[in-house]
């Protein structure tokens, strides 16, 4: 059965800064990469770091997931400090041919906060897998921690003109 739901950390980015990144990417990539245009970028308020994909199919599974997250609060409070900041670096793409880019993402910088996030991912994975709400194959690994900025599946197509 396919993945349904995920656990994530919201990534706040000022709308002006986000628009600046989008404009820069479009300016640099539009001629070389077909289809790189505004509608394929994530909205700034939806930017997030996915930690774990879930398999929630029934209301009781959703309730179980909520309880697991609630139970994790002391672990999270002990792990992270108020001054911890997620640092992102380098815009990358997910395929071998830059002219056929479908996904652009920012990597998480490898630092102490990234290490804490990986500890959180490990704890989430253990608890949610044990509860049957996640599959070990859906786990985010160190090299895959990223924030998706653009995905061609988000493309908004124009409605054809009515004749």
């Amino acid at each position: 059965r396919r993945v349904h739901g995920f656990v994530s950390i919201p990534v706040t980015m000022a709308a002006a800064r986000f628009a600046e990144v989008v404009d820069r990417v479009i300016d640099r990539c539009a001629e070389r990469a077909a289809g790189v245009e505004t509608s394929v970028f994530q909205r700034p308020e939806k930017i997030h770091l996915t930690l774990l994909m879930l398999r929630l199919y029934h209301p009781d599974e959703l309730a179980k997931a909520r309880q697991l997250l609630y139970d994790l609060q002391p672990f999270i409070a002990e792990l992270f400090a108020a001054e911890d900041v997620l640092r992102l670096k380098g815009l990358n793409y997910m395929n071998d041919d830059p002219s056929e880019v479908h996904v652009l993402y920012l990597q998480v910088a490898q630092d102490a906060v990234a290490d804490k996030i990986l500890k959180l991912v490990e704890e989430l994975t253990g608890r949610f897998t044990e509860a049957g709400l996640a599959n070990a194959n859906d786990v985010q690994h160190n090299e895959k921690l990223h924030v998706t900025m653009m995905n061609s599946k988000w493309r908004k197509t124009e409605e054809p003109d009515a004749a």
Side-chain angles (χ1 to χ4, degrees):
R1 293 166 75 170
R2 68 184 200 91
V3 171
H4 188 181
F6 59 93
V7 177
S8 67
I9 297 172
V11 175
T12 56
M13 183 181 290
R17 175 72 177 122
F18 181 79
E20 179 185 308
V21 171
V22 169
D23 289 345
R24 198 168 11 158
V25 169
I26 290 172
D27 287 346
R28 289 184 183 173
C29 299
E31 291 182 21
R32 294 181 303 221
V36 176
E37 45 85 21
T38 313
S39 76
V40 296
F41 283 85
Q42 182 65 279
R43 294 192 323 255
E45 67 274 11
K46 293 201 157 233
I47 299 289
H48 63 273
L49 173 65
T50 301
L51 303 179
L52 181 64
M53 302 304 290
L54 301 176
R55 296 173 182 273
L56 307 176
Y57 304 106
H58 304 290
D60 59 321
E61 291 173 326
L62 181 58
K64 193 184 221 182
R66 282 187 182 128
Q67 185 61 49
L68 286 169
L69 289 172
Y70 180 80
D71 293 346
L72 270 167
Q73 287 180 1
F75 177 83
I76 293 168
E78 188 175 313
L79 185 61
F80 292 97
E83 62 273 3
D84 285 341
V85 174
L86 175 68
R87 289 187 325 107
L88 302 172
K89 67 173 188 173
L91 197 60
N92 294 293
Y93 54 93
M94 286 192 188
N95 73 347
D96 297 329
D97 183 357
S99 68
E100 293 294 325
V101 171
H102 293 286
V103 176
L104 285 174
Y105 64 93
L106 291 166
Q107 287 181 295
V108 172
Q110 291 306 120
D111 60 14
V113 174
D115 291 342
K116 291 178 181 184
I117 290 169
L118 289 171
K119 285 178 186 172
L120 175 57
V121 168
E122 185 178 309
E123 189 69 21
L124 281 165
T125 301
R127 292 185 190 203
F128 278 79
T129 302
E130 185 177 305
L133 301 177
N135 182 312
N137 295 333
D138 299 329
V139 175
Q140 295 292 337
H141 297 285
N142 186 0
E143 69 278 2
K144 293 185 182 181
L145 280 179
H146 67 277
V147 173
T148 301
M149 297 290 289
M150 184 201 94
N151 190 325
S152 63
K153 73 179 181 181
W154 299 332
R155 184 174 319 282
K156 293 175 183 71
T157 57
E158 292 185 29
E159 294 295 318
D161 291 310

